[in-house]
Amino acid sequence: MDVKKLMEEKIRILNEAAKAYYVEGREIMSNFEYDKLYDELEELEKETGMILAGSPTQRVGYEVLSELPKEAHPKKMLSLDKTKDREALAEWLGNQEGLLSWKLDGLTIVLTYKNKKLDKAVTRGNGEVGEVITANAKTFVNVPLSIPFDGELVIRGEAVITYEDFEKINEAIPELDAKYKNPRNLCSGSVRQLNSQVTAERRVRFYAFSLVSAGEVDFSNSREEQMKWLSGQGFDVVEYKRVNSGTVVKTVDEFEHAIEKNPLPSDGLVLIYDDIAYSASLGVTAKFPRDAIAFKWRDQIAETTLREIEWSASRTGLINPVAIFDSVELEGTTVSRASLHNISIMEELQIGIGDTVQVYKANMIIPQIAENLTRSGNLHIPETCPVCGGHTEIHDETGVKTLFCINPECPAKKIKSFTHFVARDAMDVDGLSEMSIEKLIARGILKTPADIFRMDRFKSEIVSMEGFGEKSYDKLIAAAEKARHTTPDRLLCALGVPGIGTANAKVIAKACENSWDKMQNISLGELKTIEGVGEVLASGYRGFFDDPENKAEIEELLSVIKIDETFEKGQDFMAGLTFVITGSLNHFANRDALVAELEACGAKVSGSVSAKTSYLINNDVSSNSGKNKKAKELGIPIVDEETVLSWLESGEVVR
């Protein structure tokens, strides 16, 4: 292959990977592989002096593809040049001082404030054109809606989701293949939602890292002063440390040791000159600003031997390959397994049992296989499902090969489907665990969801099963009886309609005024008029309800459950209000019960007090708790449970 064709091939692969990652939220190659390929292309461009059209080394970001409004940035947003050499940072600083901070791994956002209010929020997009997400930004956990400064303020920052919130969201998703791969992908999809309610539920946070303009404010020619000023305006700013050429290497080490305790996802560090005037004098290159540089962690790589591939089936039929290898120590932890993602990646690595592979942790967190040194390619793709023994098929979608079990009766599909059906946010059958479901399916007691509400026909068999008894049986039947009485949005969420989670189920139910018949038969056109439901979601929805097998299963289910279709058009009288609940409750069984009441009236409920909080609910109004203090500082009203009850009963919030 000649050099030009080699470059064209690298460009094609890199662009496909970038599109999958940034636009479609998929991962078709590891970060290590992408960076390696990118560096090889860049080296070829330097050697030949030739840069081909479409080269990712010349393009900032990827093309914006969504239904959100577009807006051109006043000035092109450039990416940063990067290094993995700590000493190079000291050389780059020279006799200047700089600010060293986390390079947060989320989505870059530009916020504009006018007359003290948040006026506009735009994503970075492709660097030239971004997406307007103002309504979504107003739901971010820590973005101030109003600030003391009354001039025009423009700042840049990163929207991120903490590891803790990421894990909570993933824990609520029972099926393996539906779980989010990393916080960055989840954040990107959350920020760019058409329904801001979904964004609010994802608990997105914003950390400012750059002040673009702030009228005539004097910052004494110091970026650090800008950051301090932004903190004073109510913004959370990215954690940073002031450094010079003599301290920067040591400070990089300090950041490295803090990675495990950092609650925010990051993929390196950023070093920028503190001197604003000096920075401006440097100008920019075609792609990079000259006043800042990114530091990427040099991956700790370990060699080990691949022992087996574990194939894990899910409720959709997707069978995921996981590499099992001899244990190695990486970044202070023992690692023995890593996802291989799909067959395409396995083929690219020419993976085989007994191969010597190099393993690393992407961003020091997620185990990945970087390279296969022996490339035996001796791996046999299973022709039968590891769970049911049924036939498998390789699906090729947009160049990515994945393995599927095609047996509709596969227990793995049923187990995962049933687990999803009985989940807390779905039909909420308390106590029916995945292990219990597996046993009941194996005995032939559960074949369709409707069977959950007919388990009393098998009392003697269930009581005699391992792990069950009279008490367990009674609790199980009581839980099923309670779940039999449900609401349209819970049933919709439980069915496993592609792309329909708790938030979308509630939105669709509300649009159909809680009529289950309307929800089943709503047209494609009507679906697309509902906020947050696009072409893909609508098509998947109709495809699900038009499927004859699904229709029969739903009809059977409707014969054994009772749906409360009560709907009051004025029930959203709390729309636009955000509540925070703290302390003990007297009139509600738990906080979830109160949250359900508030959300049913259109309100949002947050876990922390911020400038966007409307009311703090606390029966001890005069307490000195942290949330009470914060509410008082921000001038947010504190109300007790009795007051909220009166609002719920009257259908009116009395301010």
Side-chain angles (χ1 to χ4, degrees):
M1 182 181 291
D2 64 36
V3 176
K4 184 177 179 182
K5 286 187 177 179
L6 182 62
M7 291 170 69
E8 288 174 343
E9 179 65 10
K10 291 182 186 295
I11 288 170
R12 181 188 68 78
I13 296 170
L14 286 166
N15 286 344
E16 284 182 4
K19 181 180 179 183
Y21 186 76
Y22 289 107
V23 178
E24 299 167 1
R26 298 185 297 117
E27 190 170 357
I28 62 175
M29 67 167 59
S30 68
N31 293 341
F32 184 92
E33 293 171 301
Y34 184 92
D35 288 346
K36 183 171 177 286
L37 205 59
Y38 184 99
D39 292 342
E40 288 171 359
L41 174 63
E42 196 170 42
E43 190 61 34
L44 286 173
E45 288 176 342
K46 290 177 182 176
E47 288 177 4
T48 62
M50 176 173 57
I51 298 175
L52 303 179
S55 172
T57 67
Q58 301 302 301
R59 187 182 63 247
V60 182
Y62 203 85
E63 187 62 34
V64 176
L65 295 174
S66 83
E67 299 174 51
L68 291 166
K70 312 292 193 302
E71 181 172 302
H73 295 295
K75 188 177 179 181
K76 186 175 181 179
M77 294 178 66
L78 302 173
S79 58
L80 296 178
D81 198 0
K82 65 181 186 294
T83 182
K84 292 186 177 181
D85 185 349
R86 299 172 194 227
E87 297 297 338
L89 294 178
E91 184 179 341
W92 183 87
L93 263 180
N95 60 3
Q96 292 287 322
E97 292 195 338
L99 303 183
L100 186 66
S101 64
W102 292 115
K103 185 176 182 292
L104 298 180
D105 192 19
L107 200 67
T108 299
I109 307 291
V110 183
L111 299 183
T112 301
Y113 285 77
K114 292 181 180 178
N115 301 318
K116 299 186 176 183
K117 304 290 184 183
L118 175 59
D119 180 67
K120 184 169 56 180
V122 183
T123 68
R124 180 181 183 276
N126 66 358
E128 296 181 355
V129 178
E131 298 161 305
V132 180
I133 48 99
T134 310
N136 293 345
K138 289 180 178 179
T139 73
F140 290 178
V141 171
N142 61 343
V143 163
L145 301 183
S146 179
I147 60 174
F149 181 63
D150 61 1
E152 181 173 288
L153 170 66
V154 181
I155 63 173
R156 293 176 183 170
E158 198 80 355
V160 294
I161 290 177
T162 67
Y163 285 118
E164 182 181 2
D165 288 331
F166 172 73
E167 293 299 335
K168 285 180 180 177
I169 291 169
N170 258 354
E171 283 173 5
I173 303 172
E175 58 272 23
L176 179 65
D177 55 301
K179 292 181 185 290
Y180 295 97
K181 300 295 186 247
N182 53 59
R184 196 266 172 206
N185 281 4
L186 174 59
C187 183
S188 177
S190 302
V191 168
R192 300 166 64 235
Q193 285 285 329
L194 298 179
N195 182 355
S196 59
Q197 181 183 352
V198 177
T199 307
E201 291 172 351
R202 303 285 175 77
R203 295 184 57 76
V204 180
R205 300 167 192 271
F206 175 86
Y207 290 85
F209 60 66
S210 174
L211 189 153
V212 179
S213 62
E216 301 300 317
V217 178
D218 182 9
F219 296 109
S220 303
N221 193 38
S222 169
R223 277 206 170 87
E224 185 172 20
E225 290 302 315
Q226 289 181 335
M227 300 294 268
K228 291 178 179 178
W229 184 82
L230 285 174
S231 293
Q233 296 295 314
F235 294 97
D236 285 337
V237 300
V238 64
E239 182 186 347
Y240 69 88
K241 295 183 180 182
R242 192 179 184 93
V243 295
N244 56 41
S245 59
T247 62
V248 66
V249 173
K250 179 184 176 183
T251 308
V252 170
D253 293 341
E254 292 172 359
F255 271 103
E256 182 177 356
H257 292 139
I259 286 175
E260 287 188 22
K261 295 181 180 178
N262 185 16
L264 306 174
S266 71
D267 56 355
L269 304 173
V270 174
L271 179 60
I272 190 167
Y273 294 119
D274 180 61
D275 190 318
I276 298 172
Y278 178 72
S279 291
S281 71
L282 298 174
V284 300
T285 67
K287 187 176 181 184
F288 307 121
R290 290 193 171 97
D291 67 337
I293 187 169
F295 173 80
K296 303 282 281 186
W297 304 110
R298 194 180 298 278
D299 301 305
Q300 181 184 345
I301 297 176
E303 284 188 16
T304 184
T305 303
L306 182 69
R307 296 302 178 186
E308 65 174 299
I309 299 296
E310 179 183 282
W311 297 89
S312 175
S314 69
R315 77 178 181 92
T316 63
L318 177 66
I319 303 175
N320 300 285
V322 178
I324 311 296
F325 42 81
D326 291 341
S327 298
V328 291
E329 291 292 320
L330 285 176
E331 316 294 351
T333 61
T334 302
V335 178
S336 61
R337 54 196 290 129
S339 173
L340 284 165
H341 305 292
N342 53 59
I343 293 175
S344 294
I345 289 178
M346 293 172 67
E347 289 179 344
E348 187 178 332
L349 287 168
Q350 296 178 350
I351 209 79
I353 304 302
D355 282 349
T356 300
V357 295
Q358 291 182 328
V359 184
Y360 77 109
K361 278 189 177 181
N363 299 332
M364 295 188 170
I365 296 165
I366 305 169
Q368 302 272 8
I369 290 183
E371 185 58 88
N372 180 6
L373 301 180
T374 45
R375 293 182 170 267
S376 68
N378 65 24
L379 188 70
H380 174 69
I381 305 300
E383 296 177 355
T384 57
C385 173
V387 175
C388 71
H391 290 297
T392 60
E393 280 185 359
I394 295 175
H395 293 186
D396 190 335
E397 297 179 8
T398 61
V400 178
K401 296 179 184 178
T402 49
L403 187 67
F404 278 83
C405 171
I406 59 174
N407 175 18
E409 300 302 314
C410 177
K413 292 182 181 181
K414 289 190 173 184
I415 292 167
K416 297 298 183 183
S417 294
F418 273 100
T419 303
H420 174 77
F421 184 85
V422 304
R424 184 178 179 183
D425 290 333
M427 293 297 284
D428 192 18
V429 185
D430 188 34
L432 192 52
S433 66
E434 185 169 323
M435 186 179 296
S436 297
I437 288 170
E438 185 174 357
K439 292 176 181 177
L440 293 167
I441 288 175
R443 290 288 189 100
I445 294 171
L446 296 184
K447 295 178 181 177
T448 69
D451 290 333
I452 290 173
F453 307 99
R454 299 190 289 233
M455 289 187 294
D456 55 341
R457 299 183 302 179
F458 300 92
K459 178 177 179 179
S460 59
E461 191 169 351
I462 294 174
V463 169
S464 65
M465 287 168 56
E466 183 183 353
F468 287 87
E470 287 281 353
K471 287 185 178 179
S472 296
Y473 169 81
D474 290 342
K475 286 182 180 179
L476 189 57
I477 297 302
E481 186 59 35
K482 181 181 178 183
R484 187 192 303 273
H485 302 267
T486 191
T487 57
D489 59 295
R490 280 187 173 276
L491 176 56
L492 178 58
C493 180
L495 290 176
V497 181
I500 302 297
T502 308
N504 281 330
K506 287 180 179 179
V507 170
I508 292 172
K510 187 174 182 181
C512 296
E513 298 186 348
N514 276 357
S515 165
W516 180 253
D517 184 64
K518 173 68 174 174
M519 290 166 68
Q520 283 190 105
N521 298 296
I522 186 171
S523 70
L524 190 67
E526 289 174 308
L527 275 167
K528 289 191 286 186
T529 64
I530 299 174
E531 186 178 2
V533 180
E535 179 72 41
V536 175
L537 202 63
S539 297
Y541 188 98
R542 275 272 40 98
F544 180 89
F545 282 101
D546 290 337
D547 181 89
E549 289 186 11
N550 291 340
K551 280 184 175 181
E553 195 169 275
I554 292 169
E555 187 175 345
E556 181 189 14
L557 185 58
L558 293 176
S559 69
V560 295
I561 65 171
K562 295 180 180 179
I563 307 175
D564 181 2
E565 297 179 290
T566 304
F567 181 78
E568 297 177 16
K569 290 192 176 181
Q571 67 183 15
D572 59 351
F573 70 95
M574 286 185 174
L577 298 180
T578 299
F579 290 86
V580 174
I581 305 168
T582 190
S584 59
L585 298 173
N586 301 321
H587 299 281
F588 291 89
N590 50 46
R591 288 189 187 181
D592 286 346
L594 177 52
V595 168
E597 289 282 349
L598 295 171
E599 288 183 342
C601 297
K604 297 175 183 176
V605 180
S606 175
S608 58
V609 177
S610 67
K612 67 180 182 181
T613 304
S614 307
Y615 294 95
L616 172 63
I617 301 173
N618 189 350
N619 282 325
D620 188 357
V621 177
S622 61
S623 81
N624 289 318
S625 69
K627 287 181 179 176
N628 271 31
K629 287 180 180 178
K630 184 73 171 179
K632 289 172 183 176
E633 289 172 7
L634 296 173
I636 293 165
I638 304 172
V639 296
D640 59 20
E641 199 176 350
E642 295 285 352
T643 302
V644 177
L645 275 172
S646 69
W647 293 348
L648 292 171
E649 290 169 1
S650 67
E652 180 184 6
V653 176
V654 182
R655 293 172 171 81

